[in-house]
Amino acid sequence: MMSLKIAQPSFPWPAGVLVAAAWAALGAHPAWAADTGELPCRTTEECRQQAARIGVGKAGPLSGDLYTSAWDQAEDQFYWVNKINRASAVMLVEEKILSPALGQQIAKGVQHAIDQASTPQGKRPSDVLQIEKIITDAVGPDASLIHAGRSRQDMYATFRTAKVRNQLVDYADALLALRMRTLAAAASHIQTYVPAYTNGVQAQPISYAHYLLAFEASFQRDAQRLREAYARINRSAMGTAVLANSSWPLNRPRLAELLGFDGLIENSLDAGQVAPIDLSMEAVSIAASGALRLGTWLGDIHTQYHQVRPWLLLGEGATYTSSAMPQKRNPGLLMRARERASNVVGLAQTVALRAHNVTLGMTDTKESVTELGALAQAVRMVEAMNSVLDALSINPARALEELEDEWTTSMELAEALAQEHQIPFRVGHRFASDIVTVARAQGLKPKVFPYDKAQELYAKAIAHFKLPDGKLPLSEKRFREVLSPAFMVQSRVGVGGPQPAEVSRMLKAAQSTLAQDRAWLQTTRKKLQDADVRLDAAFGKLLKGG
């Protein structure tokens, strides 16, 4: 092929020499934008540093905290650029844009780029042109036709979308493990009675299973959000070039199929420039929402460490000692999990801020989720929460004692009087409130509150409302029973309550939903694997000249 020769510009001395020398250090022409493919580099890190000098990439190695799994880490930008190269080569030959012979030549160059990366002297650059240089050095400049109809814009949009989709799958997997642990704990504590709080004050007794199922139900909603988001996110931008397509008749649906996408983001401007804004925000918002609820849950557990006699603690082997205070058992697992949750919430705000008030086409929002590691932090957060659940120790007897030390069931007095004896609720409420006032002043607990004092207070409540017959209609036995936390929980009725039968029903339903969500995840991973198999087969055939 004919090569175009460009005259070297001249510079006045001495500035020209200095500028030219500076550009020579980068291996680039001083009057033109630097071509990363023309900046020779010997190692992966050197390639990254050279690209970073002109703002093409990021300097320095990526942190492991940016990855959601070993799978996600393996499928880095180098992997995805070459995956796109393989799919492009296959499609270009299928569409007769390239001849089979040229397609095979390009395929050999692409395979060389992949193979050399695993050798001792190999390079794994992330930039498109640096990778293309490896290809063309191996098989000649004609191989640059692989870039027909493409741009960094659509290639990177495709890569970033694929990364977010992979990370969403990993996050869904982590949530499944969390939900599985939550349901297992719930199954063991259907009749473990614990206080529930409103306004930070002990409100009513429930079962610990009922408490756990409340959080698990919220994570069911996250699973639903993830499925819905995945369907929107797993759409391909590939083939849209910069933003307005190209004159090359690329087969976008075929590219999407080979790369494991379920379809296209059709509008070419939307695909690479608009969609990254809302789809990135949608993905990270799901994780941030989960972080808020995990933070609440962790806060409830951590509050127990303020008490002298907690009923909910990490096992002693899962804590660490103070360097100075022998009595301390520090709940490090709780603190690390809360820190991760805070990171996720903060990173979600950073994603939003990077997209805010930025003109269309800028890079600020395009890789914010993966570059910041928002979903990776979300996976670490859930993994940390799983460690907390594995170490959690519950003392049912102490939890019941906590309930019996407080007047959490006092509302039941008003309810029983209204339901069984047609006493107006407000009268019963006044009666129960007066009991609590006296009991707290005298240090009396429900089990030992004098029945005759209850009769006296009832008569006063009746007189206050100017009603006849001031005798307390509840027997002493019934009075004690109504104030029992276990009785209150067991006597609940209605859908979704803490009563054992209803909790058991909800537990069974949640286990069924978990199985369905696990099946969706398995199917989703299988579809991605099948797409890889199809790409391997099509590219392998091209490589052999078939």
Side-chain angles (χ1 to χ4, degrees), residues 103-282:
Q104 182 184 26
Q105 178 185 345
I106 290 174
K108 288 179 179 178
V110 173
Q111 190 60 50
H112 165 75
I114 295 169
D115 292 341
Q116 62 81 37
S118 60
T119 65
Q121 302 302 317
K123 298 180 291 187
R124 198 178 180 88
S126 59
D127 181 69
V128 168
L129 294 181
Q130 289 176 331
I131 295 171
E132 185 180 295
K133 183 72 163 64
I134 297 173
I135 296 170
T136 56
D137 281 351
V139 299
D142 286 353
S144 63
L145 277 170
I146 196 174
H147 206 59
R150 302 190 323 189
S151 166
R152 276 195 188 99
Q153 296 288 328
D154 64 336
M155 293 180 72
Y156 286 4
T158 301
F159 154 67
R160 291 161 184 156
T161 299
K163 291 295 287 183
V164 172
R165 122 186 135 185
N166 289 2
Q167 292 186 351
L168 276 180
V169 168
D170 283 340
Y171 184 55
D173 213 346
L175 279 179
L176 279 176
L178 173 63
R179 292 167 61 195
M180 181 183 69
R181 284 172 168 80
T182 305
L183 294 179
S188 300
H189 292 285
I190 293 174
Q191 296 194 55
T192 295
Y193 305 116
V194 302
Y197 298 82
T198 61
N199 301 312
V201 178
Q202 192 176 136
Q204 289 186 323
I206 57 173
S207 70
Y208 194 55
H210 189 245
Y211 174 91
L212 293 171
L213 288 175
F215 282 97
E216 199 281 331
S218 80
F219 297 129
Q220 283 186 35
R221 293 191 291 275
D222 279 343
Q224 183 181 37
R225 294 180 182 108
L226 282 166
R227 291 195 303 272
E228 293 170 351
Y230 185 89
R232 283 184 285 274
I233 289 169
N234 195 33
R235 302 279 165 176
S236 174
M238 198 60 223
T240 58
V242 178
L243 52 80
N245 289 2
S246 73
S247 59
W248 297 90
L250 305 185
N251 187 335
R252 290 191 63 206
R254 178 59 169 156
L255 286 171
E257 177 190 12
L258 289 169
L259 296 172
F261 292 98
D262 293 329
L264 305 176
I265 301 176
E266 288 191 355
N267 184 292
S268 60
L269 179 61
D270 181 26
Q273 311 301 330
V274 180
I277 300 172
D278 66 284
L279 294 180
S280 295
M281 201 66 236
E282 181 175 12

Side-chain angles (χ1 to χ4, degrees), residues 310-331:
W311 56 266
L312 187 63
L313 287 173
L314 300 179
E316 197 159 303
T319 60
Y320 66 91
T321 62
S322 164
S323 62
M325 295 164 281
Q327 84 283 4
K328 293 283 294 294
R329 302 294 185 269
N330 295 316

Side-chain angles (χ1 to χ4, degrees), residues 8-21 23 29-31:
Q8 177 76 22
S10 60
F11 292 88
W13 177 269
V17 173
L18 295 176
V19 174
W23 278 94
H29 293 294

